[in-house]
Amino acid sequence: GLVSFVVRIWARVLVFYEPWHLEFAHFPQYIALFAAGTMAHRHGWFDAFSDRHARTWGWVTLACLLILFPMLISFGALSGEIADGVTGGLAWESLVYSVWEGFMGVATCITVLAWSRRFFNTQGRLAHTMAGSTFGVYVLHPAIIVPFALAISDIQLNLFLKYLLTAPIAVAICYLVVGALRRVPLVRSVLG
């Protein structure tokens, strides 16, 4: 959260850098979560994580959700205009939001992983096939989804309905592209 705050002094939230439409404000989280996930896998932390620990992080997730509404009110949500400092800069709102987002991200990841381990620990044939492409989709999805989004940008439709219709298509395209790329021997060694 503190590293995100520092990065957001210069790279604000919701500011996208072209040509890849990247939002650098969230890169510290991406890097930290990727590194933590890699270390957790290598050291067997997922298997060693007890249900008691999972419950604790579930409570942290709930606390973060409950804190969100008073936090948004303090940022000016009821007035109709959120304080400019929330998106970055040297502002207390950015510090609070960055730290909250860090806790919420970690707590949610741990909670969802614990629930998945407990309630969704089996895999069908499709999920098994898709699992091999997950890392590749994680790495390549911006290069696939951004052109797809640009291609459908002229379609006039309610945004929520457009999302509901196109999100499954975008996810399917990501997995199909990565699945095809993984058939190339050199690419498979990189994408898993």
Side-chain angles (χ1 to χ4, degrees):
L2 294 176
V3 173
S4 291
F5 168 68
V6 171
V7 167
R8 290 172 185 183
I9 292 172
W10 297 280
R12 295 170 88 79
V13 174
L14 300 176
V15 173
F16 298 92
Y17 297 89
E18 302 305 336
W20 295 105
H21 204 66
L22 299 175
E23 185 183 20
F24 292 122
H26 288 101
F27 271 43
Q29 292 174 37
Y30 301 157
I31 293 165
L33 288 172
F34 181 78
T38 302
M39 288 174 39
H41 174 70
R42 285 187 180 158
H43 299 290
W45 296 345
F46 295 125
D47 297 327
F49 204 75
S50 71
D51 287 341
R52 185 175 59 86
H53 288 115
R55 275 192 299 278
T56 300
W57 283 101
W59 286 111
V60 172
T61 303
L62 180 61
C64 285
L65 284 172
L66 294 174
I67 290 169
L68 176 62
F69 299 104
M71 191 172 74
L72 289 174
I73 291 168
S74 74
F75 293 162
L78 293 180
S79 69
E81 286 193 33
I82 298 287
D84 187 48
V86 174
T87 62
L90 200 53
W92 71 270
E93 297 96 343
S94 179
L95 174 63
V96 169
Y97 179 64
S98 297
V99 171
W100 173 86
E101 196 176 57
F103 272 101
M104 183 66 179
V106 170
T108 303
C109 286
I110 292 171
T111 302
V112 168
L113 285 170
W115 284 351
S116 297
R117 180 179 69 185
R118 186 168 186 181
F119 300 112
F120 305 106
N121 61 358
T122 60
Q123 201 175 62
R125 189 171 153 207
L126 177 62
H128 179 71
T129 303
M130 291 173 69
S133 297
T134 303
F135 176 72
V137 170
Y138 168 73
V139 171
L140 297 177
H141 77 274
I144 298 167
I145 290 179
V146 170
F148 177 71
L150 291 172
I152 64 169
S153 63
D154 289 336
I155 297 173
Q156 299 299 317
L157 195 59
N158 173 283
L159 287 179
F160 183 69
L161 183 59
K162 190 176 187 179
Y163 170 77
L164 286 178
L165 294 172
T166 59
I169 296 168
V171 170
I173 291 170
C174 286
Y175 276 95
L176 289 170
V177 168
V178 171
L181 287 173
R182 288 182 68 231
R183 294 181 193 278
V184 178
L186 183 61
V187 176
R188 183 180 180 97
S189 67
V190 174
L191 295 181

